[in-house]
Amino acid sequence: MGSNPYTKSPEAALGIKKAVAGDRVLLGLSGGAASAAAAIILQEQGYSVELIHFDFSEKFRAARAEFACLVDRVKDAEKIAQVTGLPLKIVNADGYFQQKVISPLQENGLQALNFESCSSCHSRFKIEFLYHEAMERKIAHIATGHFVRISNESDLGISLWRAKDPIQDQSFLLSRTRTLLLKSLITPLGHLKIADVERLLERKELSLPLNRKPELFCNSQKHLSLKYIAERSAWAVDRERKGYVLSADQRAISEIKAGGVLQYHWGQFEGLEKIREEATTKGFKSAAKYQVSAIDPIKHYVYLGPPKHLQRRELVLENVQWIATPDLRRIRELSIVSRGQRIEKVRAEALIDNGLHLRLVNDTDVFEIGPGELVALYDKELCLGSGEVYSGF
């Protein structure tokens, strides 16, 4: 196989190619500063830019109030289109968002698993919807305002790299994007610093706020999984069947001590939030901070415990989706990013069935990641792909 190509420098991903006369690109315009800047850059690069804005009906927003990201930004999008002089189409995205984000979230809730709705929104909803719209219009390129770098080289293929500005990097959010879509995707902000983007908007007299330290996740992300676990778990079994809650040593919930573990049976009618309320009212205040720490798929038990129960030195990922296929015949040191954690030194080993076993290198580090959570894998600046934390023991 020769030398491993995925240690290559990302210099080829520092910029975007100049457009050939007549090149068309469909840009997903959120109505925010980043996508506005992307539109301006593509226009100046010589592309024939067309804008599309994904909107949601008021009824759809009202029924999903927990999604703080579903805001009305049509007027912002129209203002950007007016300033840039680019054509804008506004489409309703209710159905596609339901299919790509909400339905998988509900399905994971049935199994008491976490679900990375933000990554799914970016990789599986926004990019895929944009791609399908472009294909219908016979447009070869799609573009977004994500702060990531994408390259396509003969020896490495399609690759996703961290942004030049590490604070703005959003490669985690695109780590589940299929390579077919990455091949068509242009991300003009990946090679820029935040100050460059701000100067660009000022030059166009576009007064749009640009967060200098953006969150990788919407404010509602951390509450979504538990909400849907609570609401949907009752659907897993007959509603007549009574659920039950036990401590790790099989005692009743009233005997649980602070810092203990709750054992939850799938299908419990009240759901996890009800468990928290009951435990808290009985004086076990630590229960309010409990998280899903492990799952027994054989007995259909879900274990809730304090965050310390998530701490471990080893981790197993399943459903790994590679972007750049690594040579894991030899053990390698990688870095990882999850929703709430970034660790720079992790030793990786290949496993069967598209899984990956990770060990920590530094004694001071510890994994604090729950079952079902998404973990992105990196070799320096290169995003190798991502996987889900194994839900069993």
Side-chain angles (χ1 to χ4, degrees):
M1 181 178 283
S3 62
N4 195 346
Y6 78 93
T7 56
K8 188 172 180 177
S9 167
E11 291 304 313
L14 286 178
I16 62 173
K17 295 179 179 179
K18 292 278 187 180
V20 177
D23 273 1
R24 299 167 65 200
V25 60
L26 183 63
L27 171 69
L29 185 71
S30 67
S35 57
I40 296 168
I41 294 172
L42 290 169
Q43 197 176 26
E44 293 179 349
Q45 289 281 350
Y47 285 93
S48 175
V49 184
E50 299 176 33
L51 307 176
I52 188 168
H53 177 73
F54 302 139
D55 190 30
F56 304 92
S57 67
E58 290 298 328
K59 182 178 179 181
F60 188 83
R61 290 192 187 97
R64 293 153 186 85
E66 68 274 14
F67 283 88
C69 49
L70 300 183
V71 295
D72 186 353
R73 305 203 66 175
V74 171
K75 290 184 178 179
D76 294 331
E78 289 175 339
K79 177 183 176 181
I80 295 168
Q82 182 180 12
V83 170
T84 58
L86 297 173
L88 169 66
K89 179 182 178 181
I90 298 172
V91 297
N92 180 274
D94 292 2
Y96 212 75
F97 190 84
Q98 176 72 36
Q99 176 189 350
K100 295 296 182 178
V101 180
I102 295 178
S103 293
L105 178 60
Q106 293 172 343
E107 291 169 6
N108 275 37
L110 286 172
Q111 302 178 61
L113 293 177
N114 290 301
F115 175 74
E116 190 43 71
S117 56
C118 287
S119 176
S120 183
C121 176
H122 288 259
S123 293
R124 302 288 167 83
F125 163 63
K126 292 180 179 178
I127 303 297
E128 287 193 14
F129 200 172
L130 190 61
Y131 179 80
H132 291 313
E133 286 285 333
M135 292 303 100
E136 286 188 8
R137 301 192 202 183
K138 294 181 170 52
I139 300 176
H141 306 287
I142 59 176
T144 67
H146 286 99
F147 282 86
V148 298
R149 293 177 287 178
I150 297 172
S151 68
N152 187 4
E153 301 134 62
S154 58
D155 58 344
L156 190 57
I158 298 296
S159 304
L160 179 68
W161 307 82
R162 284 172 167 157
K164 184 176 181 180
D165 189 336
I167 296 178
Q168 300 294 319
D169 177 52
Q170 295 177 301
S171 57
F172 175 91
L173 293 177
L174 298 190
S175 64
R176 301 299 270 182
T177 307
R178 291 181 295 152
T179 52
L180 172 66
L181 277 63
L182 289 176
K183 185 176 182 179
S184 302
L185 181 61
I186 301 172
T187 53
L189 303 190
H191 65 291
L192 298 179
K193 294 286 188 179
I194 193 70
D196 300 327
V197 177
E198 290 177 331
R199 284 193 293 270
L200 178 63
L201 295 174
E202 288 175 4
R203 177 162 55 84
K204 288 290 184 176
E205 297 183 351
L206 269 172
S207 179
L208 295 169
L210 186 60
N211 193 344
R212 281 187 162 271
K213 193 176 181 181
E215 296 293 334
L216 280 181
F217 311 92
C218 64
N219 294 332
S220 53
Q221 167 63 44
K222 61 183 177 182
H223 304 296
L224 287 175
S225 292
L226 287 175
K227 171 183 170 58
Y228 277 90
I229 290 169
E231 289 186 354
R232 311 299 173 182
S233 60
W235 298 2
V237 296
D238 191 286
R239 284 177 177 268
E240 297 297 322
R241 181 177 178 179
K242 293 183 179 180
Y244 52 91
V245 185
L246 302 172
S247 63
D249 56 2
Q250 308 297 304
R251 292 180 298 172
I253 187 170
S254 59
E255 298 180 32
I256 293 177
K257 298 178 180 179
V261 175
L262 297 178
Q263 182 175 304
Y264 161 71
H265 192 278
W266 293 358
Q268 166 141 336
F269 183 80
E270 292 84 2
L272 300 189
E273 291 302 323
K274 186 68 175 179
I275 295 172
R276 295 171 189 274
E277 292 175 12
E278 184 175 351
T280 304
T281 56
K282 291 184 177 181
F284 308 111
K285 296 182 179 179
S286 61
K289 299 180 180 179
Y290 279 4
Q291 303 178 40
V292 177
S293 57
I295 295 171
D296 184 342
I298 305 300
K299 296 181 179 179
H300 287 221
Y301 288 156
V302 178
Y303 291 87
L304 299 180
K308 69 178 182 180
H309 284 205
L310 298 177
Q311 295 181 357
R312 65 199 81 176
R313 298 284 304 167
E314 299 180 14
L315 202 67
V316 175
L317 300 184
E318 57 185 347
N319 301 322
V320 176
Q321 177 180 309
W322 299 110
I323 297 175
T325 306
D327 181 2
L328 287 173
R329 295 176 301 173
R330 53 197 178 102
I331 297 174
R332 297 197 50 82
E333 283 189 9
L334 308 174
S335 61
I336 67 163
V337 174
S338 70
R339 173 154 53 96
Q341 200 170 20
R342 175 170 175 164
I343 300 178
E344 293 299 332
K345 288 189 178 181
V346 179
R347 192 173 297 275
E349 300 174 356
L351 294 179
I352 60 173
D353 296 331
N354 209 30
L356 195 66
H357 185 207
L358 305 177
R359 297 176 186 268
L360 289 171
V361 175
N362 292 334
D363 292 335
T364 55
D365 289 332
V366 62
F367 290 121
E368 293 184 359
I369 305 172
E373 283 196 45
L374 187 69
V375 174
L377 302 157
Y378 294 85
D379 178 41
K380 300 179 179 64
E381 300 298 305
L382 176 63
C383 181
L384 299 175
S386 58
E388 300 163 357
V389 177
Y390 177 56
S391 58
F393 291 98

